[in-house]
Each structure stands twice: as C-alpha cells, then as structure tokens.
Amino acid sequence: MTSLDLSDQGLTSVPSLPGYLTRLDLYKNSISEVPGSLWSLTGLRVLNLAANRISSLPPGISALTSLHTLDLAHNRFESLPDELGELAGLTEYLYVSDNRLTKFPAAWCRLGKLRYLGCTDNRLTSLPSDLSGFASLRELRLYRNELTALPESIGALGALRELHLRGNRLTSLPSSIGSLGELRQLDLRENALTTLPASLAGLSKLDKLDLRWNKQLREPAWLRDFEEAGCMVLR
C-alpha cells in the first residue's frame, strides 16, 4: 500500500505513518499542528491537508521533492513559508484557498512547472512584481481577495488558459494582459473596473469574458466585434 486515505476520521493529530507512502489524504479532520516528521516521507507525490485547523507549517517541507500536488486549503494560515517555492517537483496543483493569507510570497514564483494555482478567498492586497517564473501555469484563481492592481508581468504567463479575478478591487488592468495568447477564460466579475485595455481585443482564443457587476465600466467599441467572433461576453 502506497496510498493512505484518512479523510474525515475525526483526527486531532497526525498519526505515525509508514515511510513508503506516495499519497496521503488527511482532508477534513481537526488537526491543528503538522509534525516536522511528516517531511521525512520524501516519496510523497500527493499531500492533502485541506479542511483542518492548521495555522502554521514547520520548516522542512522543501524535503518533499517528489510532491506534485499539495492541498492546504480551508485552514487557518495567515502566512506560508517561502520554502514552498523550492518544491521543484510541484507540477500539478497548489491549493491554498480559504485561509487568511495577506501576502503572496515572491519565492513561490520559482514554481516553474506548476500548472494550477488556487489562492482564492484570502486577504491578498497585491501580487509579486515579477510573475514570469510561473512559465507553465494554465489556471490562476485569485477570486475573492483584496487586489487593487495586477503587475505588468502578468503578461509573461504565456501558457495561461484561465484567469479568475472575481471579487477583488481592481480599477484597471495592465495592457500586458493582451499578451496572454492562450487565454480562454477571463473572469472579472465584482470589481471596480472603469475601462478595459485595448490589448484585450487581440486575445483571439478567448471564448468567455465575464464583466458582470463592474458598475462603472465603459464598454469599448471592440467588445461587440469580440462577441461576433464567438466570444461569450457576460455583462
């Protein structure tokens, strides 16, 4: 057995575990602390600690060099270690949604092979100035935070297909967003946008643009052309 599912078992602590595990699921328990001994399971490829009561991680998580999926969502983290950026094997998913995070560590931008990042329902007010390290990212979910702006480097995410920004405080978008040539879905609901950059008109693969609940938005003339070309525009 290399996979162990201990989800929803009423656990209050992490039990002793065999060293040969490749998948560990501790979802939906009442765990409040993660023992440093967990980082000795260096063969782990999937680690699910979601929906517990964890507020901090001990140092050493970078030892999990085989990890491709890490789920820390629905906990009580106010911060997470820069060491997450050293998990070079993290290629599939990083979930940190529904915590109390106020900072997005620049060190995470070293996760050059990561495909999916979910950082929704936190308290982020800004993003790192240089996001270009996320070269393989296909989905970025940042809805329901407190972002007021996006860095120009958002345009460097050339593999991005979905960008979800609902429920922030954005008043404008950088022109570089028009460089996201692979983008299919752009969710901008519930912001404070007043204009859209003309560069958006060049996103030929975009098939869904959600603009609802931006009360002050002045629609550009090219938006109708966008619809006629097959993009679903929701107002």
Side-chain angles (χ1 to χ4, degrees):
M1 178 183 68
T2 59
S3 179
L4 183 58
D5 187 352
L6 295 173
S7 59
D8 202 11
Q9 296 295 309
L11 298 175
T12 57
S13 62
V14 178
S16 297
L17 298 164
Y20 49 77
L21 291 178
T22 59
R23 182 185 182 103
L24 176 59
D25 191 342
L26 290 164
Y27 170 76
K28 200 177 180 183
N29 282 287
S30 297
I31 297 167
S32 59
E33 293 186 7
V34 177
S37 59
L38 193 61
W39 310 148
S40 67
L41 305 180
T42 54
L44 278 180
R45 303 192 69 203
V46 177
L47 176 58
N48 187 349
L49 292 168
N52 279 282
R53 301 176 181 176
I54 308 168
S55 59
S56 64
L57 289 179
I61 192 172
S62 57
L64 301 184
T65 55
S66 298
L67 209 62
H68 66 63
T69 296
L70 176 61
D71 193 345
L72 300 171
H74 314 296
N75 275 290
R76 300 177 180 179
F77 294 110
E78 295 184 4
S79 64
L80 285 166
D82 287 354
E83 284 182 301
L84 292 186
E86 298 174 25
L87 294 173
L90 211 58
T91 57
E92 299 300 322
Y93 300 95
L94 173 60
Y95 298 100
V96 293
S97 295
D98 189 23
N99 279 287
R100 303 168 183 176
L101 302 176
T102 59
K103 182 182 178 182
F104 189 115
W108 294 3
C109 299
R110 297 198 297 264
L111 296 173
K113 298 179 181 179
L114 188 67
R115 296 182 182 179
Y116 179 103
L117 175 57
C119 193
T120 74
D121 300 280
N122 278 290
R123 303 171 185 174
L124 302 179
T125 58
S126 64
L127 298 175
S129 60
D130 186 2
L131 297 174
S132 61
F134 286 121
S136 301
L137 206 61
R138 294 188 177 185
E139 291 188 33
L140 178 56
R141 295 179 180 264
L142 292 165
Y143 53 81
R144 289 192 290 270
N145 277 283
E146 299 174 15
L147 299 173
T148 57
L150 300 178
E152 282 288 341
S153 62
I154 193 78
L157 306 185
L160 202 64
R161 296 187 176 189
E162 296 186 22
L163 179 57
H164 298 266
L165 294 164
R166 177 180 182 172
N168 280 280
R169 301 177 183 177
L170 300 172
T171 57
S172 64
L173 299 173
S175 60
S176 64
I177 204 165
S179 299
L180 300 177
E182 294 298 318
L183 202 64
R184 270 71 164 177
Q185 295 186 30
L186 179 56
D187 187 352
L188 298 169
R189 284 176 288 175
E190 295 180 65
N191 278 283
L193 295 170
T194 58
T195 61
L196 295 174
S199 60
L200 271 181
L203 296 180
S204 60
K205 294 185 179 180
L206 198 66
D207 55 35
K208 184 178 180 181
L209 175 60
D210 201 332
L211 299 170
R212 289 176 288 175
W213 307 303
N214 283 276
K215 297 179 181 179
Q216 304 300 317
L217 181 64
R218 298 188 298 274
E219 293 189 7
W222 52 260
L223 205 54
R224 181 165 295 182
D225 296 334
F226 231 37
E227 290 181 291
E228 291 177 356
C231 181
M232 179 189 297
V233 179
L234 301 174
R235 295 174 171 83

